Amino acid sequence: MIHRLAQGGKIDRSQKLSFKFNGRRMYGHTGDTLASALLVNGVRVIGRSLKYHRPRGLYGAGAEDPNAMLAVRDAYGYDPAIRAGQVRLVEGLDVKTVTGWPSAQFDIGAVAQLPAPILIAGFYYKTFMWPNWSWFEGAIQNATGYGKPSSNADNRRYEHRHDTCDVLIIGAGPAGLAAARGLIGSGLRVVLVDDNLQPGGSLLWEEGTIDSRCALDWAANTVTTLKAEGILILTSTTVSGAYDENFFTMIESLHDDFGVVGERLWKLRANKVVLATGSTERPVMFQNNDRPGVMLSSAVRRFIAEFGAAPGKKLAVFANNDSGYLTAIAARRAGIDVPVLIDSRSRHELPHATLAESLGIQCVFDAEVTDTTGYKGLKQVSVSTSRGKKQYQCDALAVAGGWTPLIHLAAHRGAKPVYDADRNMFLCPEAPENWHIIGGAAGCLSLADALRGGHNAGDVIFASARPSPVASCEIEYGQVSVLWQTRAGKPNKKWVDLQNDVKVSDVSTAAMENYVSVEHLKRYTTLGMGTDQGRTSNVNGLAILAQVTGREISDVGTTTFRPPYTAIRMNTIAGKRQGDLYRPRRQMPGHQVHVKAGAVFDDFGWERPDWYKSNGGDRESAVSTEMAAVRHAVGVFDGSPLGKIEIAGPDAREFLNRFYVSNLMTLKAGRVRYSFMLKEDGVIFDDGVIACVDDNLFLAGPTSGNAAGVAAWFEKWRQTEWPSMKVAIAPVTANWASIALAGPKARELLRLLEPDFDISDDSFPHMSFREGLVAGVTARVARVSFTGELQYEISVPARYAVALLETVLRLGSDKGGCLIGMEAWLRLRLEKGYIHLGSDTNGRTTPLDIGMAGIVARKEADFIGKRSLSLPFAISEECEQLVGVRSALTPLPIGGRILTPGIERPPCASIGYVTSACISPSAGNIGMALIERGAERMGETVRIYDNGQIIEAEICSPVFVDPDHERLQK
Amino acid sequence: MMLHALSPMGFPCGAPTLVRGGFREGLSVSECSDFGCVLLTATVDITDFQQELLRLTGVELPLLSGLVVQADGRYVVWLSPRSWLILCRLDEEPKLLDSINSNFPCRSIHASAFSDYLCWLSLEGEAAEDALRQGGFISLANDGLPAGCARRTLMSGIPAIIHRKTAIKWMIGIERSYASYFSQWLKSQNVG
């Protein structure tokens, strides 16, 4: 561990951990991050840049690092791309670089540096559009990205947790801790969240005293007190998004000594919010500022103080503010050689220079870095001062260019970032309602101010008599003197965004091409679009854009901040919703009977039998058996998912009449009517039967998949448009199991169930409804048909579903009865010419297109969508109308396009398509199709195109079986 | 002829049954198929009918969100300003339906059979709340769901009615068709 300092850091030096980096065994200590462990093992190159494949090293210590994306495998799982500073070092980590081929050290892709002058912003957009983008797309995609996801499931556990709290404090640095401390004794439910392994924030690595004790001790003591007071402290937890009504998503990482055991996605609602997320340092842009060894100044301090890791043997510092002095002094005190501190400011502004110089650090003023050398690791910096130029040998360079407050979460809530020219940073002066923005996030650059701000925020929420903590620091960050880029150096060698290889010259190019809006700049250059979300680059990019367009930074503005704040594992979002638990499954109440009968289930919104193995060895033979049973004997179909909504009240009839196309004012008690309901645009929304139980009670039967939607549609109109109507809506679908008996022997079978009412054709004709006892239990029976055969739908309380099905099957077995699956059921209705909503209709189909123009014309009363049926779109000659199609030889393809008459093959316009099709045992290759002016084309032969094949078919009536409906009346 | 009744979880109806196997430590789950249930919906403001409904149901209907009123072994759960759930013994359901509907022949207040709509699960134990918190906001109210109150909410993506009976005892009513999925989901919480 060649860069491990002899002492210092919060690591446990007694615990040695081994890990592998690109197959090479390395060592670190408990308390290290992967970044600090790589640093102390002397790893300089950890990847290659996106476009030019330039060598890149560690740049930051945490989430802000644009370079350190690595593939990491621990004992529980594999992450194809994760930032080294966010990985806690554990025994046995296997780490690989994810950029560069064959390796990051020796990357053939580095030849891209040769044509770099032409690989400018917009190069790909312009160059690869000809002759066809798709020719290049694959190769370009392969050249980008980080790591390859594993196809194996990991062993981590993922869970979700929902909670509420009175106060959410985001950030457990000095400001956040001071705010939490102020809430002690308030009785409020407080949640304090921090994305680091331990609370303390910058106190973990910055020097200072609070209330006359070491700042770190103060933090530890405060945390102990907060815990004792019942304040929930979540470490290793990142708040990833802030949404309306103070709803937050947070990712809590769960660790043990072998890796990330799992993650917990918190969904938290808070009454009040304290944003204490701090700020991140930004660099200054100079020539070749991307070499391995160039790092953020604060990251260097953190590596030294928290991890006892030296960034190099000789550290130069370049600063436009006092952060550079903090770093230089900390490094010198840790025993690192600091040959030079390059300050862009003048000597007289800097009282801290004296201290630095007293430690033997040479400080040069009114100076800037003009260039660096060293391909795979920094070797030298060139410095320009008023006295001339000079080179300094060093293997690390800390850069301090100012601070960028982490205001992302406030911006998620719509707070507008405003540029503060005095402090050279974007701030949110108007916090969201019930938010307090404090500390670094509020632009605070001194520990004392951060503590005071935190204390005051706590005091506003809960007025305690407790005094604010008092801090004292040897050196603070001080004011930032503006220096975005050095005067010297070529713009095409100054990197703005290290992750996406965006340079100062790219921003200029974009501006020259009139991409002067910050949103356009972002998309044209990809500035800030990397996985680091431009934490170190965005503000610098805006400053450059402002410079080259002659505007103020405040006029340039920022791009939109969107969640998530940092990358989230897809598994964490999914939580338990994987495998069988992927989404809620619905089972019919008679599910176990279908299982026993060998049902092959399919997802129709409910798990429903598609066909039964008990009826045939394969799907076609089973479906054929099932269809034959219905046509010649009796079939038993479980229609329990069919919607059931009770509409009750004195205005129930009038209410329903406003929805359905048919006239329900004349529907008598005990009778059933089939109809459609439309949306306001006249397009069919649902179909089904409506039974009149009595004058004040109706039973609507929407389609299975639309049952909830129709109930909500009823409620919407009742509540918003017709609140004075006396009507109640009770969706009761799941309360009832509905078993249909269909076929010529259906009545015989129903009779065996001993109904306590007359079921003869005279007393219980087609399209009627009865309530009574069937098989000894309460039942609702409708004589309706979806198959074209005599059919009864028996609804009983769902607890009797299994018994009723078993009884019906037992009694029906000697009548040739069997269970019917969905496929046979749908084919039977197709033979009969009954439509299947969603298959035979689309987002344009009106009742006029499916042969219901007469019913519409006859209904005088208004109904939803009626007016739209007289508009040109509904009565246009180009409307597709539903017709039957029949092919002599070839089965018809669902979705097959019907070619314009007279055209042999595509390409040509299509006049419609096949909506349903099947091979009917009695009618052959039949189908339904929506065809322009279909009703006028009866007998016409059309050509249907499907997947290279042309099929000829005749347009015909959609009713292929029992056109006179005699079977329904038997 | 008489059909035998099965609960949503496949147990014989009529008595609480412990659901065995696989739940996390500190959580016991029972299916309460001895509950009957009536959905009461009103077409009008029920203020004028409160006394009449009290006479018919034996319980005063709560008028505020979250409230549950209990009397004579019956519970009434507020669902919306115009709908309530009356929980009773399973064998009381037909009588209750009849007494309400025959009293309001114009159906200005309507009772629907609802005993078979919901699967009622009793969750008991120190771990119950934690398990539920994984599935959704038990209540969006900041103080959570106090004992004695009920809410309609989404639990593991499923519409549910949650009645907190005591600090560690919860009754959950979920639509019958989701019973199997919900039970599986509860078992998946066993890792804690």
Side-chain angles (χ1 to χ4, degrees):
Chain A
M1 290 186 272
I2 56 175
H3 287 288
R4 179 71 80 194
L5 296 166
Q7 55 190 12
K10 316 297 182 290
I11 53 170
D12 181 353
R13 291 174 189 256
S14 67
Q15 299 290 318
K16 194 173 178 184
L17 304 170
S18 78
F19 68 103
K20 279 201 245 175
F21 177 66
N22 284 340
R24 214 176 107 208
R25 186 155 301 281
M26 296 182 175
Y27 298 92
H29 292 298
T30 300
D32 265 323
T33 62
L34 178 57
S36 65
L38 290 171
L39 193 65
V40 296
N41 280 280
V43 174
R44 308 305 301 270
V45 178
I46 55 167
R48 292 281 172 156
S49 70
L50 181 79
K51 203 154 61 167
Y52 307 116
H53 291 247
R54 283 170 66 98
R56 290 284 162 78
L58 289 166
Y59 195 75
E64 76 282 6
D65 194 324
N67 294 340
M69 299 298 282
L70 296 165
V72 178
R73 184 182 296 282
D74 63 21
Y76 301 101
Y78 167 77
D79 292 301
I82 190 165
R83 223 162 246 104
Q86 295 180 298
V87 178
R88 175 189 179 196
L89 189 72
V90 293
E91 178 64 33
L93 276 189
D94 188 6
V95 182
K96 288 189 169 63
T97 47
V98 292
T99 46
W101 186 85
S103 71
Q105 271 294 329
F106 178 75
D107 178 19
I108 287 175
V111 294
Q113 291 167 42
L114 296 174
I118 61 167
L119 295 177
I120 57 172
F123 172 80
Y124 294 93
Y125 307 140
K126 293 169 183 168
T127 310
F128 297 112
M129 292 309 292
W130 184 90
N132 192 328
W133 168 256
S134 62
W135 290 12
F136 309 101
E137 191 176 8
I140 291 172
Q141 278 178 349
N142 285 338
T144 61
Y146 299 94
K148 289 193 173 142
S150 165
S151 55
N152 298 325
D154 62 29
N155 295 319
R156 290 176 177 142
R157 76 167 201 256
Y158 298 95
E159 60 186 50
H160 290 183
R161 184 170 299 261
H162 303 70
D163 215 335
T164 53
C165 69
D166 294 309
V167 185
L168 171 65
I169 302 172
I170 308 168
L177 287 175
R181 177 179 169 273
L183 297 173
I184 290 173
S186 65
L188 298 171
R189 291 171 57 240
V190 180
V191 177
L192 174 62
V193 180
D194 197 276
D195 59 355
N196 282 312
L197 290 167
Q198 50 180 316
S202 61
L203 300 181
L204 295 171
W205 65 86
E206 302 284 33
E207 298 284 332
T209 60
I210 301 176
D211 288 347
S212 307
R213 64 163 78 173
C214 161
L216 193 55
D217 288 347
W218 176 86
N221 187 262
T222 303
V223 168
T224 307
T225 310
L226 294 175
K227 282 181 180 168
E229 290 290 325
I231 288 176
L232 177 62
I233 301 178
L234 299 172
T235 54
S236 300
T237 303
T238 305
V239 180
S240 60
Y243 304 87
D244 286 352
E245 306 291 331
N246 284 345
F247 174 78
F248 293 87
T249 50
M250 318 194 302
I251 312 296
E252 182 185 5
S253 190
L254 309 167
H255 304 270
D256 71 5
D257 290 342
F258 300 97
V260 179
V261 180
E263 281 194 329
R264 183 178 289 140
L265 172 62
W266 285 77
K267 298 179 181 179
L268 185 84
R269 282 187 189 275
N271 273 354
K272 296 186 189 305
V273 179
V274 178
L275 186 74
T277 41
S279 54
T280 191
E281 199 162 31
R282 61 174 183 251
V284 177
M285 292 164 284
F286 51 88
Q287 184 159 310
N288 289 313
N289 58 338
D290 66 331
R291 299 197 188 282
V294 178
M295 301 171 77
L296 294 174
S297 165
S298 57
V300 170
R301 281 204 302 285
R302 188 176 172 193
F303 280 127
I304 292 170
E306 192 174 350
F307 306 108
K313 294 195 181 322
K314 282 191 170 198
L315 173 74
V317 179
F318 178 28
N320 65 1
N321 67 87
D322 292 349
S323 170
Y325 287 86
L326 283 170
T327 303
I329 291 165
R332 191 71 203 93
R333 284 175 173 165
I336 300 167
D337 184 11
V338 182
V340 64
L341 189 153
I342 305 128
D343 195 323
S344 65
R345 300 170 295 176
S346 300
R347 176 72 174 89
H348 67 272
E349 298 173 38
L350 306 169
H352 308 309
T354 311
L355 177 59
E357 285 169 341
S358 73
L359 292 168
I361 301 167
Q362 182 193 349
C363 300
V364 292
F365 303 97
D366 295 315
E368 57 179 42
V369 173
T370 55
D371 200 0
T372 64
T373 60
Y375 184 58
K376 291 182 182 172
L378 185 68
K379 287 184 177 162
Q380 178 179 283
V381 294
S382 301
V383 177
S384 163
T385 67
S386 51
R387 293 184 201 162
K389 290 184 180 172
K390 192 171 177 186
Q391 280 76 40
Y392 294 88
Q393 304 297 312
C394 60
D395 57 356
L397 172 64
V399 185
W403 300 93
T404 299
L406 296 172
I407 51 174
H408 300 60
L409 295 170
H412 289 175
R413 289 293 319 281
K416 188 175 168 49
V418 175
Y419 189 71
D420 183 325
D422 291 335
R423 287 184 276 185
N424 299 303
M425 54 179 70
F426 278 94
L427 297 167
C428 287
E430 286 185 30
E433 196 178 353
N434 289 323
W435 280 50
H436 302 270
I437 304 177
I438 58 170
C444 185
L445 294 176
S446 92
L447 178 59
D449 288 348
L451 290 169
R452 202 173 305 116
H455 176 81
N456 290 345
D459 220 34
V460 170
I461 296 168
F462 171 68
S464 70
R466 201 171 289 112
S468 172
V470 179
S472 134
C473 289
E474 187 181 20
I475 301 177
E476 306 222 79
Y477 302 149
Q479 289 299 306
V480 175
S481 169
V482 173
L483 178 67
W484 302 105
Q485 62 170 321
T486 54
R487 286 177 293 275
K490 296 176 183 170
N492 65 350
K493 292 284 184 188
K494 294 178 185 174
W495 266 258
V496 184
D497 182 335
L498 269 67
Q499 186 162 60
N500 277 354
D501 259 346
V502 180
K503 299 168 292 183
V504 169
S505 57
D506 292 320
V507 178
S508 302
T509 302
M512 278 192 293
E513 298 190 17
N514 208 28
Y515 293 105
V516 292
S517 151
V518 64
E519 295 288 359
H520 291 158
L521 171 78
K522 171 181 168 179
R523 284 153 184 84
Y524 191 64
T525 62
T526 71
L527 173 74
M529 288 174 73
T531 57
D532 66 333
Q533 292 283 288
R535 284 189 186 85
T536 57
S537 62
N538 274 348
V539 176
N540 282 354
L542 302 177
I544 300 298
L545 182 64
Q547 280 179 2
V548 296
T549 56
R551 291 180 290 174
E552 297 296 327
I553 296 176
S554 54
D555 296 332
V556 173
T558 63
T559 52
T560 307
F561 292 81
R562 294 188 182 88
Y565 171 72
T566 190
I568 303 172
R569 291 179 173 90
M570 297 299 284
N571 269 333
T572 308
I573 296 170
K576 303 284 186 198
R577 295 190 186 284
Q578 304 186 35
D580 265 0
L581 295 173
Y582 174 61
R583 67 172 179 180
R585 280 177 290 108
R586 307 182 79 177
Q587 291 181 346
M588 298 191 291
H591 187 77
Q592 64 187 75
V593 178
H594 304 299
V595 172
K596 262 190 222 166
V600 177
F601 290 97
D602 208 340
D603 184 0
F604 293 88
W606 296 60
E607 279 184 46
R608 303 184 73 170
D610 185 47
W611 57 282
Y612 293 87
K613 289 178 180 168
S614 55
N615 293 332
D618 59 55
R619 188 171 190 249
E620 280 308 310
S621 67
V623 169
S624 179
T625 304
E626 291 166 17
M627 290 176 76
V630 174
R631 291 282 178 241
H632 306 297
V634 61
V636 179
F637 177 76
D638 191 341
S640 298
L642 193 70
K644 299 162 199 80
I645 306 171
E646 292 177 359
I647 311 294
D651 295 331
R653 182 187 293 277
E654 168 63 23
F655 180 76
L656 282 174
N657 202 45
R658 294 182 184 185
F659 286 89
Y660 284 97
V661 169
S662 305
N663 182 9
L664 299 180
M665 301 307 281
T666 56
L667 185 63
K668 293 189 172 71
R671 298 291 292 175
V672 173
R673 195 159 287 169
Y674 171 78
S675 193
F676 289 87
M677 65 170 72
L678 318 179
K679 284 281 171 100
E680 296 96 321
D681 57 7
V683 170
I684 294 171
F685 167 50
D686 196 60
D687 70 339
V689 293
I690 305 98
C692 177
V693 181
D694 63 43
D695 254 357
N696 300 313
L697 178 61
F698 293 78
L699 195 57
T703 50
S704 307
N706 229 359
V710 169
W713 182 238
F714 284 152
E715 272 296 349
K716 177 185 166 186
W717 282 84
R718 185 186 74 80
Q719 292 184 26
T720 62
E721 300 295 327
W722 307 317
S724 59
M725 286 192 97
K726 291 180 177 172
V727 63
I729 297 148
V732 294
T733 302
N735 194 68
W736 300 87
S738 298
I739 310 300
L741 312 179
K745 296 182 182 174
R747 187 178 293 120
E748 284 175 48
L749 185 52
L750 176 58
R751 189 162 286 128
L752 294 176
L753 293 172
E754 301 170 1
D756 69 346
F757 49 88
D758 186 353
I759 60 168
S760 66
D761 187 47
D762 289 342
S763 300
F764 193 11
H766 182 54
M767 300 303 277
S768 47
F769 172 86
R770 297 288 180 273
E771 285 186 303
L773 293 177
V774 173
V777 301
T778 306
R780 291 170 166 177
V781 184
R783 185 176 161 190
V784 292
S785 183
F786 191 65
T787 58
E789 300 294 335
L790 173 65
Q791 185 177 320
Y792 298 96
E793 283 179 11
I794 309 163
S795 296
V796 296
R799 77 194 90 145
Y800 299 114
V802 169
L804 180 63
L805 271 169
E806 286 173 344
T807 305
V808 163
L809 290 173
R810 180 169 48 81
L811 297 173
S813 62
D814 61 353
K815 298 186 185 309
C818 68
L819 281 164
I820 309 298
M822 282 296 290
E823 180 59 21
W825 201 245
L826 291 173
R827 289 190 195 181
L828 288 161
R829 68 87 205 170
L830 174 56
E831 287 183 335
K832 182 62 184 171
Y834 291 156
I835 74 160
H836 183 219
L837 200 84
S839 298
D840 301 314
T841 58
N842 59 34
R844 302 186 302 273
T845 311
T846 72
L848 310 182
D849 303 328
I850 56 166
M852 291 195 69
I855 292 173
V856 170
R858 279 198 295 278
K859 183 163 177 178
E860 288 182 6
D862 198 6
F863 57 88
I864 295 167
K866 182 179 184 183
R867 179 180 167 277
S868 298
L869 297 180
S870 59
L871 297 177
F873 117 90
I875 53 177
S876 159
E877 282 199 344
E878 290 175 2
C879 284
E880 293 169 340
Q881 295 171 329
L882 193 69
V883 291
V885 279
R886 187 199 299 265
S887 162
L889 300 172
T890 316
L892 294 166
I894 296 171
R897 302 301 308 191
I898 295 161
L899 305 183
T900 304
I903 307 287
E904 294 290 314
R905 295 194 72 82
C908 69
S910 161
I911 59 167
Y913 67 100
V914 178
T915 59
S916 303
C918 75
I919 305 169
S920 160
S922 56
N925 302 313
I926 59 168
M928 284 202 227
L930 279 165
I931 300 179
E932 287 176 18
R933 295 185 295 107
E936 297 171 22
R937 296 174 184 262
M938 289 294 156
E940 207 174 283
T941 299
V942 289
R943 297 168 74 79
I944 300 169
Y945 176 81
D946 177 63
N947 207 18
Q949 189 187 16
I950 301 281
I951 300 158
E952 288 202 343
E954 181 195 347
I955 298 179
C956 59
S957 159
V959 185
F960 298 98
V961 166
D962 188 24
D964 298 326
H965 310 302
E966 288 172 357
R967 296 188 193 196
L968 294 174
Q969 310 298 340
K970 278 183 181 170
Chain B
M1 188 178 288
M2 187 61 208
L3 303 176
H4 63 274
L6 284 182
S7 76
M9 303 284 286
F11 301 117
C13 267
T17 312
L18 188 68
V19 184
R20 292 184 187 283
F23 296 106
R24 64 191 292 180
E25 202 174 312
L27 171 65
S28 76
V29 179
S30 303
E31 189 191 7
C32 302
S33 61
D34 51 336
F35 270 140
C37 194
V38 168
L39 173 65
L40 194 74
T41 45
T43 66
V44 289
D45 187 331
I46 63 145
T47 315
D48 296 340
F49 300 99
Q50 271 283 46
Q51 284 308 310
E52 204 169 352
L53 285 165
L54 173 61
R55 179 177 60 79
L56 295 169
T57 63
V59 201
E60 192 171 347
L61 300 192
L63 298 177
L64 286 175
S65 167
L67 285 187
V68 177
V69 175
Q70 182 190 359
D72 293 336
R74 288 181 182 171
Y75 292 90
V76 184
V77 178
W78 184 98
L79 294 180
S80 77
R82 286 194 180 184
S83 59
W84 296 262
L85 214 52
I86 305 174
L87 276 72
C88 55
R89 285 202 324 266
L90 186 57
D91 58 2
E92 289 179 332
E93 187 212 50
K95 216 182 292 176
L96 202 52
L97 283 173
D98 188 54
S99 72
I100 296 168
N101 287 337
S102 59
N103 204 70
F104 295 98
C106 66
R107 310 269 183 181
S108 52
I109 290 171
H110 173 61
S112 303
F114 221 62
S115 297
D116 294 76
Y117 192 98
L118 295 169
C119 169
W120 286 100
L121 296 173
S122 167
L123 272 60
E124 197 163 358
E126 297 293 338
E129 181 171 358
D130 187 68
L132 291 175
R133 281 188 185 283
Q134 297 197 30
F137 286 100
I138 297 168
S139 167
L140 290 180
N142 201 33
D143 52 355
L145 186 62
C149 290
R151 284 270 194 279
R152 277 206 291 186
T153 186
L154 274 182
M155 188 55 56
S156 74
I158 298 170
I161 295 165
I162 299 190
H163 176 198
R164 186 172 200 172
K165 299 189 99 171
T166 68
I168 60 162
K169 187 169 183 183
W170 308 71
M171 288 296 296
I172 315 252
I174 49 162
E175 198 203 283
R176 181 186 189 104
S177 60
Y178 292 115
S180 167
Y181 176 87
F182 186 73
S183 156
Q184 234 187 309
W185 176 84
L186 264 182
K187 285 175 184 171
S188 78
Q189 311 301 315
N190 62 359
V191 288

